[in-house]
Amino acid sequence: QDVADFEWVMWFTSFRNIIIFALSGHVLFAKICSMTMPQHRAVMYMIYGALAVLGSMGLLYLMIILSHCLLLYSVALAKQKWLCYVAGLCCLASFKVEPFGSWQSGFVTGAFDLQDVLFYGGCTFTIMRCMSFALESSQKEEGIYSIFDLLKYNFYLPFFFFGPVMTFDQFHAQVSTRELRRKDDEMRNIRVSALLHVGAIVAVDIFFHFFYILTLPSDLKFVNRLSDWSLAGLAYSNLVYDWVKAAVMFGVTNTIARLDHLEPPQPPKCITMLYIFAETHFDRGINDWLCKYVYDHIGENHDNVLKELVASTATFAITTLWLGPCQVVYIWSLVNCFGLNFELWVQKFFQLGPFAKLEAKLSGAMSRRIRAAFGAVNFWAIVLYNILALNSLEFAQLVTKRLLVMGFPVSTLSIWFITYCGVQLIKERERILALQEEDKAKVE
């Protein structure tokens, strides 16, 4: 195995072990609490989560987390949104910008697999949760939520290290419910989801030992010898690998959260179904957080081009800080921000009178075909933009040059046509699902 493949195996193996030991203990503990003291279950979740963090990362790490919680709680007392943003982003920067990140990580002694991932994951997700708490508190009409509410929110173990982020208002409302009732077939769906994710963990664990998709892009001499189709497949497969990692990680934690009578953010949308920049996200929790507190807050109805530009720029600026500022992240943020805005510009352009009248004369099928043609271009733009973050700038440049310049017209048009057919199928599936939802709403 190459180095990057080995690192992925180590990451996935360590994550699997954490799931088996820490989260299985949480499931048993949560079940006992929900049966014996449902009115105090949030407190028991907090105690178990804090003890698990203490046992895995040590007392100094727990003190770092508590200090940031206390700082942002103190800021929330002022009930000023701008102050919450400034304090929260400064705390986030303290983990993402050197030398502050290394200084804080130096307090954690010892070494084990995934220590760095657990450190930065737990800290940065904590900051996002504390910012959500502070912003929701600033909107509260009377008084403020207690620091006890913040600790119950932050130390819910399934979400602590790896997310997803549930906004404080959703978590507080759901965990405060005393009447714990299951929907029809809810337990059956949870069992099916659990079995599917166990199967996915086993399958991915096996695949990591036989596939070298992650390290092939680093060997540019070898990649240059691949055909255009193989190169396109390699680029697409890298995004699929990252999606599988996110789907398994968030799927497992979400299943446990649903056992605890919570409705967490959904796992990421399959990469194959992403042909719109507005839906491109691998962490739906962070996406919901950014949309609520930044993107929708500034962009409002998203019908003004200037407001949309400001909203998307602010959103990707915070995302850049979240991912960790560096050259590749800067480029990734810039091109994705451009793609999101260009999508809106094109949409506004074709909503002008002459184009709107022309589309009104077309049949629904023909309109869908035209939109699918643009969607196919969007799909490959999303692939090319996101392999920047997963691989390297050189690999992204090579794929772009081969598919758009050297491969034109045969490879370019044939790959575009196959993608166009796929987008058509996806749009048809979305149309059928929308009709089913309408029928279901009418029945209810």
Side-chain angles (χ1 to χ4, degrees):
Q1 290 181 327
D2 291 334
V3 174
D5 283 316
F6 180 74
E7 289 177 351
W8 269 66
V9 172
M10 291 299 296
W11 181 93
F12 202 80
T13 303
S14 300
F15 173 70
R16 180 189 61 197
N17 293 337
I18 290 174
I19 291 295
I20 292 174
F21 293 107
L23 296 186
S24 60
H26 171 86
V27 171
L28 295 174
F29 193 76
K31 185 62 177 176
I32 294 172
C33 293
S34 62
M35 291 175 63
T36 57
M37 51 185 80
Q39 68 275 20
H40 300 301
R41 61 194 179 101
V43 178
M44 304 309 293
Y45 295 162
M46 178 196 70
I47 294 173
Y48 181 84
L51 290 176
V53 173
L54 175 64
S56 60
M57 297 296 290
L59 180 61
L60 289 177
Y61 178 79
L62 184 61
M63 291 298 103
I64 292 174
I65 295 295
L66 290 174
S67 65
H68 283 278
C69 290
L70 182 60
L71 173 62
L72 287 171
Y73 174 76
S74 302
V75 170
L77 294 174
K79 303 195 77 168
Q80 296 292 325
K81 278 190 173 182
W82 69 269
L83 191 58
C84 297
Y85 281 113
V86 171
L89 293 177
C90 286
C91 287
L92 184 61
S94 71
F95 292 107
K96 294 296 185 178
V97 178
E98 295 299 336
F100 307 106
S102 298
W103 175 71
Q104 291 186 87
S105 64
F107 287 107
V108 181
T109 58
F112 57 90
D113 295 337
L114 265 194
Q115 185 185 57
D116 287 342
V117 175
L118 294 179
F119 177 85
Y120 288 106
C123 291
T124 51
F125 274 113
T126 290
I127 301 304
M128 302 302 275
R129 286 188 288 264
C130 288
M131 285 185 68
S132 177
F133 170 86
L135 291 168
E136 293 297 334
S137 294
S138 67
Q139 294 178 350
K140 196 171 187 232
E141 294 180 358
E142 297 181 1
I144 188 174
Y145 295 104
S146 70
I147 192 170
F148 206 47
D149 291 324
L150 173 58
L151 296 179
K152 287 189 289 185
Y153 171 49
N154 186 59
F155 284 102
Y156 179 66
L157 185 62
F159 296 161
F160 183 82
F161 288 113
F162 298 111
V165 174
M166 271 184 81
T167 56
F168 175 76
D169 57 328
Q170 293 179 333
F171 181 88
H172 183 70
Q174 293 177 23
V175 83
S176 300
T177 302
R178 295 191 177 186
E179 295 183 5
L180 304 180
R181 297 180 179 178
R182 296 287 185 189
K183 299 177 182 178
D184 295 339
D185 294 331
E186 184 176 359
M187 281 306 302
R188 175 182 173 276
N189 294 333
I190 290 175
R191 285 193 290 267
V192 170
S193 177
L195 290 174
L196 287 175
H197 286 104
V198 169
I201 289 174
V202 174
V204 173
D205 214 9
I206 295 172
F207 291 161
F208 278 150
H209 290 81
F210 296 100
F211 289 90
Y212 300 90
I213 293 172
L214 299 172
T215 49
L216 287 178
S218 62
D219 189 348
L220 295 181
K221 291 183 179 179
F222 173 79
V223 172
N224 263 311
R225 297 197 296 268
L226 296 177
S227 66
D228 295 340
W229 281 90
S230 298
L231 195 58
L234 181 61
Y236 166 73
S237 298
N238 270 260
L239 263 71
V240 172
Y241 257 52
D242 197 61
W243 172 79
V244 168
K245 180 189 74 173
V248 170
M249 183 169 65
F250 296 132
V252 170
T253 55
N254 284 3
T255 301
I256 295 171
R258 288 166 63 196
L259 280 172
D260 295 338
H261 299 271
L262 297 178
E263 290 292 336
Q266 295 298 312
K269 191 174 182 180
C270 179
I271 183 62
T272 307
M273 302 179 68
L274 292 178
Y275 61 92
I276 299 175
F277 274 94
E279 297 180 356
T280 305
H281 45 268
F282 287 88
D283 185 339
R284 203 175 296 241
I286 292 295
N287 180 75
D288 293 344
W289 190 101
L290 289 169
C291 285
K292 179 173 185 178
Y293 299 120
V294 184
Y295 188 59
D296 292 340
H297 178 67
I298 299 174
E300 296 177 349
N301 296 326
H302 304 291
D303 53 0
N304 184 287
V305 174
L306 182 59
K307 282 186 177 181
E308 181 75 4
L309 180 61
V310 175
S312 58
T313 301
T315 300
F316 277 100
I318 294 176
T319 305
T320 300
L321 183 60
W322 163 259
L323 294 174
C326 63
Q327 182 187 19
V328 172
V329 175
Y330 292 145
I331 297 173
W332 175 87
S333 293
L334 180 64
V335 293
N336 278 278
C337 184
F338 168 76
L340 183 63
N341 282 279
F342 186 73
E343 211 169 54
L344 177 66
W345 300 337
V346 172
Q347 180 182 353
K348 290 294 182 183
F349 180 76
F350 282 101
Q351 284 177 351
L352 296 175
F355 297 104
K357 292 178 181 178
L358 178 61
E359 186 175 10
K361 295 178 181 179
L362 298 175
S363 64
M366 181 56 68
S367 176
R368 191 167 63 250
R369 293 188 188 103
I370 295 173
R371 291 176 180 272
F374 286 100
V377 176
N378 247 16
F379 177 85
W380 278 104
I382 291 170
V383 171
L384 295 175
Y385 291 169
N386 283 279
I387 58 175
L388 277 167
L390 299 178
N391 302 116
S392 64
L393 179 61
E394 292 77 13
F395 179 66
Q397 289 175 331
L398 174 62
V399 175
T400 304
K401 183 178 179 181
R402 287 281 297 275
L403 296 186
L404 299 183
V405 181
M406 298 176 64
F408 188 84
V410 178
S411 297
T412 304
L413 295 180
S414 57
I415 292 173
W416 171 82
F417 178 73
I418 296 297
T419 309
Y420 161 79
C421 294
V423 173
Q424 276 275 51
L425 293 173
I426 295 166
K427 291 181 73 67
E428 179 63 17
R429 180 178 179 274
E430 291 174 346
R431 186 184 70 84
I432 294 173
L433 290 176
L435 291 175
Q436 290 176 351
E437 288 294 329
E438 289 181 6
D439 294 339
K440 184 179 178 181
K442 289 178 181 178
V443 171
E444 294 177 352

